[in-house]
Amino acid sequence: MTTSFGTATSTVISNDPKIRLQSFTGLKPSHSLALTRNLRVFPVPFSGPSVIRAVSTPVKPDTTAEPKRSKVEIFKEQSNFIRYPLNEEILTDTPNINEAATQLIKFHGSYQQYNRDERGTRSYSFMLRTKNVGGKVPNRLYLTMDDLADQFGIGTLRLTTRQTFQLHGVLKKNLKTVMSTIIKNMGSTLGACGDLNRNVLAPAAPVTTKEYVFAQKTADNIAALLTPQSGFYYDVWVDGEKFMTSEPPEVVEARNDNSHGTNFPDSPEPIYGTQFLPRKFKIAVTVAGDNSVDILTNDIGVVVVSDVNGEPQGFNIYVGGGMGRTHRMETTFPRLAEPIGYVPKEDILYAVKAIVATQRDHGRRDDRKYSRMKYLISSWGIEKFRSVVEEYYGKKFEPFRELPEWEFKSYLGWHEQGDGTLYCGLHVDNGRVGGKMKKTLREVIEKYNLDVRITPNQNIILCDIRSAWRRPITTALAQAGLLHPRYVDPLNQTAMACPAFPLCPLAITEAERGIPDILKRVRAVFEKVGLKYNESVVIRITGCPNGCARPYMAELGLVGDGPNSYQIWLGGRPNQTQLARSFMNKVKIQDLEKVFEPLFYHWKRKRQPKESFGDFTTRMGFEKLQELVDKWEGPEQTPARYNLKLFTDKETYEAVDELAKLQNKSAHQLAMEVIRNFVAAQQNGKSE
């Protein structure tokens, strides 16, 4: 094993935060086989002696004009590798930081926010996002995050769609304390935001089969390969204290290799250089058939390919996925990743590095709306993109290997890990851990010394549970509303929403705060049109078009497009393999039933055997669906066949009602769920 440190040597980076050395804007690394670039040298004015810096510009026919760059590119260039002016701004007495520091702190894993519910003077705070590869959270880190939420946050933790924690409400004066505490307790926020590789996803299930262990190891190695090396994170938050980490030799070897011009020689950031990437970069690793990670929504999707004995042989690689778009700009769009090829297992780090280098050197840096890699691939086409990547890779990609059909796996409930212990997947509505749930989770995780994992569907998995602990853990969790999935509404199990209001500065309307009521209304529509309780659709809601909860993969996606208004997207699949399409704009929240009722009514009556709602909407076509919505006058009325009184005494009703409220349900809904599940269990010869 090779040891690497979180700080760089002082001979590489100036100790003066205002001296920024080795400034490159996409300078092509040495020995490149790809497009060459010119160097221009010019002095940069600032208070103090002039500094001469080299800035690269692309070769353009008949012009020497400097290319347009976004403001963020200039902030990065002048930051001394993401230090200045953030290192000064966090020390001032003001509650907020300036524009440049606001952009730079993203690389450190934080966003500046303010409470949009409040009027008048803005009350600033910071959201911190951790980096947990594959959702892995050691026991010690979980307990630390739980404490920090109470001491410095808003009393809740949020599980994200990229398998991390978000801690909201941290004041600027507490930032350094919170950051350093996370770092010193087996955690990190480095690169959880910003223009670099974000958290690497992997299946959260802690199963011990060769394929899953290999997928997790690969995710760890990719994350290590693309972790910043210049030490800026530790300089700012722990005063340069060195935190030693062990890296496999293959990671160090792949990072240092420059045989095909992927690196900046002698730079403290050999892969990123001073300018890092044009925009955020997302990678997921999974096992063939397991789409718990929304594999096609990532810049790079890596799929373990194994032989008939389950022995990993190599990887299929997808490229070019991404969710973000801008309303009323058709030149921005969500996109599914597409196959680029197959590589043997020993080459995966070199192939990933080659793809990253291609985006680094050729992705747009003038307009951040078009800076994601999906736009580069859409512009070039996959053949040209593959050809350029192969120059950095030094090899040709092999043909894509055949894969089984994708399946969404939630990993909820109790399962064998394969090593004699159990894991338990728990549904957490919208990933928000608070109140009694938070207290009980803390007690269970602390008492049994459990590690946990966060899923890409905002749920949590308790790991390494002994069989003897199952009953007491189940009892404790149930009392806090953390129930076996059979007692959770199927609509809730697959639903997701982003935080949106009150803290997200991009939110146009509600998402997390609005989804509980919307799901109840969808359930009521189901009952009205005669759909069974165990039937479901994948519903995802975001407060803006950036797509953090991946609404464009949902069967029914609601995307905020105005105050109390949503754009409705239809046509995704339950296994997340097909993009939804925009169906209607500006649907007011109070009018949602006018759209939901006709769609679900006709799905119930006109679907083919086992046809999902998303596939039904695609088959019917939007023109026909719009006609059904426009002509809707309500379902045919049929007399009620049953009139059941569920509660015979007030005490029983109140007890069920209290438990139902923990799940955002009515007492009647919960009672009917319990009865249905009991009957189903009896019919299956079970009794629990």
Side-chain angles (χ1 to χ4, degrees):
M1 303 290 278
T2 304
T3 300
S4 70
F5 297 92
T7 55
T9 58
S10 59
T11 56
V12 176
I13 303 172
S14 169
N15 291 324
D16 183 346
K18 294 189 177 66
I19 303 291
R20 279 89 59 188
L21 303 178
Q22 291 182 291
S23 219
F24 303 98
T25 54
L27 173 60
K28 193 71 194 71
S30 68
H31 307 109
S32 169
L33 301 176
L35 183 67
T36 58
R37 296 172 183 252
N38 289 338
L39 285 181
R40 301 177 64 238
V41 180
F42 59 91
V44 177
F46 70 104
S47 56
S50 293
V51 174
I52 304 299
R53 69 180 74 167
V55 179
S56 66
T57 60
V59 174
K60 291 185 177 181
D62 304 320
T63 180
T64 56
E66 183 182 355
K68 179 185 175 185
R69 293 184 297 157
S70 71
K71 187 182 291 187
V72 176
E73 290 299 312
I74 297 170
F75 290 153
K76 287 187 285 187
E77 177 188 343
Q78 297 177 351
S79 70
N80 189 18
F81 292 96
I82 319 300
R83 291 170 171 81
Y84 174 82
L86 176 62
N87 52 358
E88 295 181 355
E89 284 289 306
I90 61 172
L91 301 178
T92 66
D93 293 333
T94 61
N96 62 314
I97 55 180
N98 68 17
E99 183 183 6
T102 299
Q103 293 298 329
L104 297 179
I105 200 171
K106 296 177 183 179
F107 291 76
H108 297 254
S110 180
Y111 284 86
Q112 179 170 271
Q113 302 180 329
Y114 64 93
N115 190 332
R116 297 175 65 188
D117 282 347
E118 298 177 358
R119 295 292 177 263
T121 304
R122 290 183 177 181
S123 54
Y124 287 98
S125 66
F126 292 80
M127 179 273 284
L128 273 61
R129 183 185 296 155
T130 58
K131 199 98 171 273
N132 308 92
V133 181
K136 293 184 295 186
V137 183
N139 176 271
R140 177 175 157 191
L141 178 59
Y142 184 92
L143 299 179
T144 297
M145 296 302 296
D146 184 81
D147 288 337
L148 291 173
D150 291 337
Q151 295 171 17
F152 300 104
I154 58 174
T156 65
L157 283 171
R158 197 167 197 282
L159 316 177
T160 79
T161 58
R162 290 202 73 79
Q163 299 184 273
T164 67
F165 287 115
Q166 283 186 178
L167 182 64
H168 291 90
V170 179
L171 299 179
K172 185 176 120 176
K173 65 180 181 180
N174 297 324
L175 267 177
K176 198 160 186 177
T177 298
V178 175
M179 286 284 204
S180 62
T181 301
I182 292 172
I183 293 168
K184 293 173 182 178
N185 285 276
M186 307 175 70
S188 175
T189 64
L190 171 59
C193 323
D195 299 343
L196 70 176
N197 181 51
R198 303 288 187 88
N199 197 52
V200 180
L201 303 189
V207 293
T208 56
T209 62
K210 291 179 182 178
E211 293 175 300
Y212 279 88
V213 171
F214 189 62
Q216 188 70 59
K217 178 186 176 185
T218 301
D220 289 337
N221 286 351
I222 291 172
L225 172 74
L226 299 176
T227 295
Q229 299 296 299
S230 56
F232 62 82
Y233 179 66
Y234 303 96
D235 285 352
V236 172
W237 303 114
V238 289
D239 301 322
E241 183 178 348
K242 295 176 180 178
F243 281 79
M244 193 166 58
T245 58
S246 293
E247 292 184 323
E250 61 265 31
V251 172
V252 178
E253 184 178 339
R255 182 188 298 121
N256 293 337
D257 178 74
N258 196 31
S259 55
H260 301 288
T262 53
N263 288 21
F264 293 95
D266 304 318
S267 171
E269 292 292 352
I271 296 176
Y272 291 128
T274 59
Q275 297 307 112
F276 287 76
L277 299 181
R279 202 72 164 76
K280 67 179 78 169
F281 201 88
K282 298 180 177 181
I283 300 176
V285 182
T286 193
V287 170
D290 182 342
N291 199 16
S292 59
V293 298
D294 254 349
I295 190 75
L296 301 179
T297 65
N298 291 271
D299 291 274
I300 302 178
V302 177
V303 185
V304 176
V305 177
S306 301
D307 62 19
V308 292
N309 299 316
E311 194 68 44
Q313 300 298 305
F315 302 91
N316 277 353
I317 301 179
Y318 294 91
V319 292
M323 291 286 96
R325 50 178 286 275
T326 302
H327 282 315
R328 294 173 293 282
M329 292 193 71
E330 298 304 314
T331 51
T332 66
F333 45 81
R335 187 181 192 276
L336 292 187
E338 59 185 306
I340 191 173
Y342 169 91
V343 298
K345 60 185 179 182
E346 61 272 13
D347 285 353
I348 185 60
L349 297 181
Y350 298 89
V352 166
K353 185 180 174 186
I355 295 167
V356 170
T358 302
Q359 161 66 354
R360 177 196 68 200
D361 292 339
H362 298 282
R364 287 182 61 172
R365 294 180 182 267
D366 60 329
D367 188 335
R368 291 176 66 80
K369 289 193 300 295
Y370 305 106
S371 292
R372 290 290 297 275
M373 193 171 76
K374 64 181 178 180
Y375 295 112
L376 177 63
I377 296 175
S378 293
S379 172
W380 279 4
I382 190 63
E383 296 302 328
K384 178 179 177 180
F385 183 81
R386 180 187 294 113
S387 176
V388 174
V389 171
E390 286 173 344
E391 293 179 341
Y392 290 97
Y393 177 34
K395 296 181 181 181
K396 295 285 187 183
F397 285 99
E398 296 180 33
F400 214 63
R401 301 299 196 258
E402 187 175 350
L403 294 174
E405 188 169 347
W406 290 109
E407 177 187 353
F408 169 72
K409 296 178 183 287
S410 71
Y411 297 114
L412 297 178
W414 288 90
H415 305 273
E416 298 277 349
Q417 286 188 185
D419 58 0
T421 62
L422 305 169
Y423 71 88
C424 180
L426 299 168
H427 172 75
V428 180
D429 277 337
N430 307 305
R432 183 67 66 180
V433 179
K436 188 174 182 181
M437 177 201 303
K438 179 174 176 293
K439 181 175 182 292
T440 301
L441 272 175
R442 164 72 184 236
E443 291 170 351
V444 169
I445 290 167
E446 189 168 31
K447 178 177 180 179
Y448 297 99
N449 195 31
L450 303 178
D451 292 338
V452 307
R453 295 196 184 187
I454 302 169
T455 81
N457 243 50
Q458 303 174 304
N459 296 319
I460 194 167
I461 294 175
L462 308 183
C463 307
D464 307 315
I465 302 171
R466 297 179 188 174
S467 297
W469 300 344
R470 177 171 177 169
R471 185 177 294 275
I473 287 176
T474 299
T475 301
L477 295 173
Q479 290 172 348
L482 288 160
L483 304 176
H484 189 284
R486 70 163 60 95
Y487 303 121
V488 178
D489 190 318
L491 289 171
N492 291 63
Q493 286 190 36
T494 56
M496 291 200 296
C498 68
F501 287 130
L503 294 176
C504 179
L506 302 176
I508 303 170
T509 193
E510 297 284 2
E512 180 185 340
R513 295 194 303 195
I515 195 173
D517 182 62
I518 289 175
L519 292 177
K520 287 181 187 176
R521 291 164 63 185
V522 171
R523 174 56 64 197
V525 171
F526 268 37
E527 293 176 355
K528 183 175 182 178
V529 303
L531 286 164
K532 295 178 181 179
Y533 174 78
N534 61 0
E535 296 185 273
S536 187
V537 298
V538 177
I539 299 173
R540 295 176 175 179
I541 303 177
T542 57
C544 83
N546 284 303
C548 293
R550 303 190 285 272
Y552 310 117
M553 302 301 289
E555 294 182 274
L556 172 60
L558 302 184
V559 179
D561 64 355
N564 299 311
S565 171
Y566 294 96
Q567 191 177 60
I568 295 181
W569 288 65
L570 301 174
R573 285 184 175 150
N575 66 352
Q576 279 85 64
T577 57
Q578 180 171 285
L579 269 180
R581 292 185 297 131
S582 176
F583 174 57
M584 292 181 70
N585 296 312
K586 299 289 183 181
V587 178
K588 289 296 184 181
I589 191 167
Q590 65 268 23
D591 295 330
L592 290 175
E593 280 84 354
K594 295 177 183 178
V595 181
F596 294 168
E597 277 190 18
L599 294 179
F600 292 138
Y601 177 85
H602 289 286
W603 176 46
K604 168 76 164 60
R605 282 153 182 77
K606 297 181 180 180
R607 60 187 165 179
Q608 297 174 349
K610 297 185 178 180
E611 185 175 38
S612 69
F613 177 70
D615 284 343
F616 165 78
T617 59
T618 299
R619 179 175 61 83
M620 291 292 288
F622 282 10
E623 186 176 342
K624 178 63 176 176
L625 294 178
Q626 188 67 60
E627 180 184 335
L628 295 175
V629 170
D630 292 342
K631 292 182 177 180
W632 182 246
E633 294 181 355
E636 296 177 13
Q637 297 299 316
T638 56
R641 292 179 296 165
Y642 307 106
N643 184 16
L644 301 178
K645 185 175 182 180
L646 290 173
F647 302 103
T648 58
D649 62 274
K650 182 179 179 182
E651 290 76 15
T652 302
Y653 169 78
E654 289 177 344
V656 175
D657 187 54
E658 183 178 354
L659 184 58
K661 286 177 180 175
L662 294 172
Q663 302 176 55
N664 291 311
K665 297 173 183 164
S666 68
H668 184 275
Q669 283 179 315
L670 182 58
M672 288 303 297
E673 288 177 31
V674 173
I675 292 169
R676 288 190 189 104
N677 287 310
F678 177 77
V679 172
Q682 295 300 313
Q683 289 173 342
N684 292 330
K686 301 175 183 177
S687 59
E688 285 191 23

